[in-house]
Amino acid sequence: MTHHEHHEHAEHPGHPVHPGHSEHAEHAEHSEHSEHSDARLDRAPDTGGGHEGHAGHDKHAGHSVAMFRDKFWLSLALTIPTLVWGHMLQGAANYVAPAFPGSGRIPAIFGTAVFLYGGWPFIQGAAREIKDRLPGMMTLIALAITVAFVFSAAVTLGYPGMPLWEELATLVTIMLLGHWVEMRSISQAQGAVGELAKLLPNSATRIVGGEAGGAGTEQTEDVPISALREHDVVLVRPGQSIPADGVVRDGASAVNEAALTGESRPIDKKPGEKVIAGTVNGSGSLRVTVTGVGERTALAGIMRLVEQAQRSKSKAQALADRAAFWLTWVALGSGVLTLVAWLSLGATPAYAVERLVTVLVIACPHALGLAVPLVIAISTTLGARNGLLVRDRRGLEDARNVTTVVFDKTGTLTRGEFGVVTITPAAGVAPDDALLLTAAVEMDSEHPIAQGIVRSARARHLELPRAEGFEALPGRGARARVDGRMLFVGGPALLDSLALVPSPELRTAADEAGRRGQSAVYLAEERGASFVLLATLAIADVVRPESREAIDALHAAGVKVVMMTGDSRAVAEAVARELGIDTVLSQVLPEEKAGHVVALQRAGQRVAMVGDGVNDAPALVTADVGIAIGAGTDVAVEAGDVVLVRSDPRDVPRIITLSGATYRKMVQNLWWAAGYNVVAIPLAAGVLSKWGIVLSPAIGAVLMSLSTVIVAINAQLLRRIDLR
């Protein structure tokens, strides 16, 4: 963003968020961190998306990790007697179970108890899936155990055949174990929100009397952080976590912000500087004036973005959902075909039903349903820990395909810390007067160049007069009345709008500034029906030392780099030469940025736009991947798909690295989950029974669970990638 863009969008309107819903999205709500999260914030952060109508799409809605754990252990205890007194184990181990009155009914009694107690969550889940007309893995499990139960009950009541009580009890118990492991894996992967909440202390030391820093006059009280309000002053002792966002009022220390920004070095803090809730104070004590509490803190903003990313729908997840849906119908069809085929071949009803149950169990698209959500949850958490906040998973997914990265210049490739280097006044104008008038006009502007001019004027101890009628001129600059004079300040576009031609001296000064990679700012005055140019000011912006490293990394990955700026071509090309940038788009007005992105896309490029999310919002939204600069505590940037908390351009190639690694894990998991079923379903149906290879329902459940575990382990390997 350049000087003549800086007055557009003084307030960021924000963008409504409509995240999609993942089948596994609500697992995090059941993690062990959830109670901790609620206790640490005034109320849970709004993720921007509701849950209406979602319960039917979440097979574990209303379930928890603890519920599956408890049901597994009790079902296991009930299954053991079922196996001990059942026919299957006695025949295999060649032993006779102790006999007593009623012992013959133990398998039926305990098997029924396991079905009703342990199988109930699967029946509930199936009912929701059928109600929503989206049959899935819960439907298959419920159908399998219900068929086994009804058949076994009929045999126990006199129908000819061999009951399946042992198989039923074992199947339910193994399925409970599989779901417990799955939910625990998801909850741990999505535990980033809970881990962030744990950064906040339980209480704070509030100063209730005296002036901060006044020896012997202040009084303190320990209060819960929920009792803090804006403008309170809190004492943060060495080693304590900062309880709320605020501004240092007194004291000096180094604060560790690594948990939120990924910055490994402690950041020095002194009076007037901002601190973030959840960061850890160093060896000094700080007195902090609270500016944000509860959901208004930067930490809550980060939590909202992490939750939002985990709930947003990715294209790979949509593919997995469709595959799981069709696999469910394939499994149902295969099960019916298996039953009919074995009965027509003269098999006993017990054997045919056993084949049916095994097919239904082994074909459950469990691994397929877990393949993508677990990878996404881990990648989102991994990104957050490295200062990359994924706001929309589709953006992270598309980043691997990026062929061109477009950088805004000011505040992105450069620090955005400006100062006046030289002043070239017109004849009859004193340099200090030119600086004073320019600074007076820019006093009400928020732009870094404007603030740099004001700082330079104050550094010279100039007393700035009050400007009246300040007005932003989008894409051109600003104007205001100072001491009765109507003054204009802006870049090259201002001269075009006022039809002003600089004198040779002022033009030379501007050209020289451009050759040095500096910005030329013009001061003009309206006099009657004409305009007079009073001065040219050269403004220097420091290039970030990490920018060159970022661009080199992108080039090494085969990605082209474009810099798009409103500055003059000379200024832009000077920065481009220093950084080795491929293409320069200069003197671009704010409303033109999105058009340049579209032009690159039409030329066949996959474009990532990197900007500050305010002036660059249209371009960020238009790009295939929008990467917004977070600027430390400003994490509520809603125009981009990814937010860079550290405002470090080196994080851009890191996003591409994370995207590629995430995609590879998704593909590996999907191939495994799909390939497993191609082999497993025919085995379950009994195609190799002629050669003595027959899978029981219990073995089918073990194989299905093993497939899920393999997918989970493969997803966990994503944590090994290095994003530093």
Side-chain angles (χ1 to χ4, degrees), residues 148-160:
F149 171 74
V150 171
F151 179 79
S152 299
V155 171
T156 301
L157 295 175
Y159 185 81

Side-chain angles (χ1 to χ4, degrees), residues 360-657:
L360 294 177
V361 170
I362 211 166
C364 287
H366 227 195
L368 196 58
L370 184 64
V372 173
L374 187 54
V375 172
I376 286 294
I378 291 172
S379 63
T380 303
T381 303
L382 191 62
R385 289 176 178 170
N386 287 274
L388 312 175
L389 294 182
V390 180
R391 193 182 148 268
D392 190 324
R393 297 197 316 214
R394 292 176 187 259
L396 175 62
E397 190 174 325
D398 289 340
R400 67 184 177 84
N401 296 318
V402 165
T403 59
T404 299
V405 174
V406 179
F407 283 98
D408 175 46
K409 180 179 77 69
T410 305
T412 303
L413 295 174
T414 63
R415 290 190 181 279
E417 297 174 356
F418 299 92
V420 177
V421 179
T422 59
I423 303 171
T424 306
V429 180
D432 278 0
D433 288 343
L435 177 58
L436 183 146
L437 293 173
T438 305
V441 173
E442 296 284 45
M443 179 73 74
D444 290 344
S445 173
E446 83 292 346
H447 191 270
I449 287 182
Q451 293 304 306
I453 294 171
V454 173
R455 282 194 300 271
S456 297
R458 287 174 173 165
R460 297 194 186 193
H461 305 290
L462 300 178
E463 187 173 344
L464 303 183
R466 182 177 179 82
E468 299 176 348
F470 173 85
E471 182 182 354
L473 304 173
R476 293 180 294 279
R479 68 180 177 184
R481 189 172 298 278
V482 180
D483 291 337
R485 303 167 68 180
M486 179 57 72
L487 301 172
F488 295 77
V489 176
L494 176 69
L495 300 185
D496 295 339
S497 66
L498 300 180
L500 274 172
V501 178
S503 66
E505 184 180 10
L506 296 183
R507 170 63 69 186
T508 299
D511 292 343
E512 181 62 28
R515 282 191 291 272
R516 294 193 300 264
Q518 300 166 353
S519 297
V521 173
Y522 300 96
L523 172 66
E525 180 181 2
E526 182 179 3
R527 293 179 181 174
S530 62
F531 299 91
V532 177
L533 203 55
L534 301 181
T536 299
L537 287 75
I539 313 296
D541 183 11
V542 181
V543 174
R544 294 180 184 271
E546 56 269 20
S547 294
R548 180 70 197 217
E549 186 178 341
I551 291 167
D552 287 346
L554 289 171
H555 283 157
V559 178
K560 297 178 182 178
V561 179
V562 175
M563 184 176 70
M564 184 161 56
T565 175
D567 272 343
S568 67
R569 185 162 190 83
V571 172
E573 288 184 342
V575 175
R577 282 194 300 270
E578 181 177 350
L579 296 178
I581 291 173
D582 302 306
T583 304
V584 175
L585 302 174
S586 59
Q587 293 182 246
V588 180
L589 295 175
E591 60 270 21
E592 296 173 345
K593 288 189 173 183
H596 283 287
V597 171
V598 171
L600 288 169
Q601 291 170 328
R602 287 176 177 169
Q605 301 296 309
R606 301 284 292 178
V607 181
M609 173 71 195
V610 187
D612 66 4
V614 180
N615 183 282
D616 303 307
L620 287 169
V621 173
T622 303
D624 298 287
V625 181
I627 303 173
I629 295 296
T633 61
D634 182 17
V635 297
V637 181
E638 295 191 1
D641 301 308
V642 183
V643 178
L644 306 185
V645 176
R646 294 178 292 203
S647 302
D648 187 341
R650 291 176 298 182
D651 285 338
V652 175
R654 289 171 184 145
I655 292 169
I656 296 175
T657 299

